[in-house]
């Protein structure tokens, strides 16, 4: 096992753990990092690795919100258990659009959009949208301020916005947070529902990637298992810190700083790409 490969995986796990929850695109960052920090592995493995380590990030949500997400918790009343089941059903409804289209167009998106220019353009575009939406919301009071107020219709519309995140550089959390805020959700509700929405989405996406990896004739040896395990564990630990930071941050601040970050990063990427032509 190459020691430098392990260090690269640790760094990728850190990048995933931070960028999965901050609305700045985890997949986009992993693609960009790989351009400069080449993981010594096959392209098939790297494509699968970039998705599967997101399971660590998702497990962080499960741990942090276990009681809120657990409909069998003994300390919950019957009404609270019913509300928890309702939340899960809304999550399922919101997952349908991206789940269906993701399976149908995964290969096409992988071939045409996992590149510098599409990632940079999406970073800039959604950075601008964050700033526009936040400026608009200064004069508009949110109509959905708790998860219980979130309707099935609202959940499905948020799910439609999640479809946009199939293009790298968009950011799954970025697309759903912007969508939720546009249709009247508060920042806090938008962020929390985005976290929960990621659980089935990431488990499903990881399953699809692993299956495709195996169907191509690949196999999991000790090196692959070790690299995946390290990346997943690191992304789990870093995700816990990132989620706590984000939820504390948005209590006092808006998302415009992430919008400016996206615009600056996307511009730098485009300039770099132009210099390599």
């Amino acid at each position: 096992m190459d020691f430098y490969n392990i260090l690269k995986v640790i760094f990728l796990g850190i990048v995933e753990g931070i960028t999965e929850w901050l609305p700045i695109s985890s997949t986009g960052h992993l693609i960009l990092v790989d351009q400069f920090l080449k993981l010594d592995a096959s392209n098939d493995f790297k494509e699968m690795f970039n998705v599967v380590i997101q399971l660590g990030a998702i497990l962080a949500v499960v741990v942090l919100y276990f009681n809120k997400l657990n409909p069998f918790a003994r300390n919950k009343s019957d009404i609270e258990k019913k509300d928890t089941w309702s939340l899960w059903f809304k999550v399922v409804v919101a997952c349908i659009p991206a789940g269906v289209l993701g399976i149908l167009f995964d290969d096409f998106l992988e071939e045409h959009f996992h590149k510098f220019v599409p990632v940079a353009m999406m970073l800039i575009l959604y950075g601008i949208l964050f700033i526009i939406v936040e400026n608009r919301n200064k004069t508009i009071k949110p109509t959905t301020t708790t998860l219980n107020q979130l309707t099935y219709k609202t959940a499905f519309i948020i799910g439609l916005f999640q479809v946009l995140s199939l293009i790298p550089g968009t950011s799954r959390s970025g697309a759903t947070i912007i969508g939720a805020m546009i249709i009247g959700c508060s920042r806090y509700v938008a962020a929390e529902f985005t976290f929960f929405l990621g659980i089935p989405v990431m488990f499903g996406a990881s399953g699809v990637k692993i299956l495709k990896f195996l169907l191509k004739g690949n196999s999991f040896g000790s090196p692959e298992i070790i690299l995946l395990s390290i990346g997943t564990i690191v992304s789990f630990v870093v995700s816990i810190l990132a989620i706590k930071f984000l939820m504390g941050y948005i209590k006092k601040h808006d998302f415009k700083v992430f919008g400016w970050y996206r615009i600056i990063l996307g511009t730098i990427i485009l300039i770099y790409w132009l210099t390599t032509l």
Side-chain angles (χ1 to χ4, degrees):
M1 176 65 66
D2 186 350
F3 177 71
Y4 290 105
N5 229 24
I6 293 177
L7 289 179
K8 292 174 186 177
V9 164
I10 291 173
F11 184 76
L12 288 169
I14 292 172
V15 171
E16 163 60 27
I18 294 173
T19 59
E20 180 64 39
W21 305 115
L22 304 186
I24 52 178
S25 178
S26 61
T27 304
H29 276 76
L30 290 174
I31 291 171
L32 297 174
V33 169
D34 185 60
Q35 296 294 319
F36 304 98
L37 194 69
K38 295 288 186 181
L39 187 63
D40 186 15
S42 67
N43 287 332
D44 286 346
F45 177 80
K46 286 190 287 188
E47 289 174 7
M48 182 268 297
F49 174 87
N50 285 348
V51 174
V52 174
I53 62 168
Q54 295 176 0
L55 288 178
I58 294 304
L59 290 174
V61 173
V62 175
V63 169
L64 288 173
Y65 291 94
F66 184 76
N67 187 64
K68 180 174 284 191
L69 294 169
N70 181 14
F72 304 106
R74 294 182 178 180
N75 63 336
K76 288 185 176 180
S77 66
D78 289 341
I79 293 177
E80 288 173 326
K81 291 178 180 179
K82 182 179 178 182
D83 288 339
T84 304
W85 280 115
S86 178
L87 173 61
W88 274 112
F89 292 143
K90 291 169 186 175
V91 166
V92 171
V93 167
C95 286
I96 294 173
V100 173
L101 294 177
I103 292 173
L104 292 176
F105 296 101
D106 183 61
D107 290 337
F108 175 83
L109 294 168
E110 194 83 52
E111 180 181 353
H112 293 89
F113 291 98
H114 283 237
K115 300 174 183 178
F116 261 23
V117 175
V119 169
M121 295 302 293
M122 291 301 102
L123 283 169
I124 294 171
L125 174 61
Y126 284 87
I128 294 171
L129 284 176
F130 261 117
I131 294 170
I132 291 173
V133 171
E134 284 290 9
N135 286 336
R136 163 188 173 271
N137 281 5
K138 285 182 179 180
T139 58
I140 299 176
K141 189 175 181 180
T143 55
T144 304
T145 56
T146 67
L147 284 172
N148 287 340
Q149 293 177 327
L150 196 75
T151 65
Y152 283 95
K153 178 182 177 181
T154 300
F156 184 75
I157 295 173
I158 294 173
L160 293 176
F161 277 96
Q162 185 174 227
V163 171
L164 301 172
S165 68
L166 294 174
I167 300 176
T170 298
S171 169
R172 189 190 61 80
S173 61
T176 53
I177 286 173
I178 285 178
M181 291 173 62
I182 287 175
I183 59 178
C185 295
S186 68
R187 291 189 199 98
Y188 205 87
V189 170
E192 273 203 337
F193 191 68
T194 290
F195 294 163
F196 304 154
L197 191 54
I199 296 174
V201 168
M202 288 300 101
F203 272 106
S206 297
V208 169
K209 285 294 183 183
I210 291 173
L211 181 60
K212 289 178 65 176
F213 178 76
L214 295 174
L215 289 175
K216 288 181 179 180
N218 300 300
S219 61
F220 286 103
S222 296
E224 288 81 12
I225 293 173
I226 290 172
L227 292 177
L228 270 179
S229 298
I230 292 173
T232 301
I233 291 170
V234 172
S235 72
F236 168 77
V237 174
V238 176
S239 286
I240 288 180
L241 300 176
I243 291 170
K244 288 184 176 180
F245 163 77
L246 181 62
M247 298 312 287
Y249 179 87
I250 62 176
K251 288 179 179 178
K252 299 180 180 179
H253 306 87
D254 59 28
F255 284 108
K256 284 197 286 188
V257 66
F258 300 113
W260 285 114
Y261 169 82
R262 293 176 65 104
I263 293 170
I264 293 169
L265 178 62
T267 302
I268 292 172
I269 293 168
L270 284 179
I271 293 172
Y272 171 81
W273 175 74
L274 288 172
T275 61
T276 60
L277 292 177

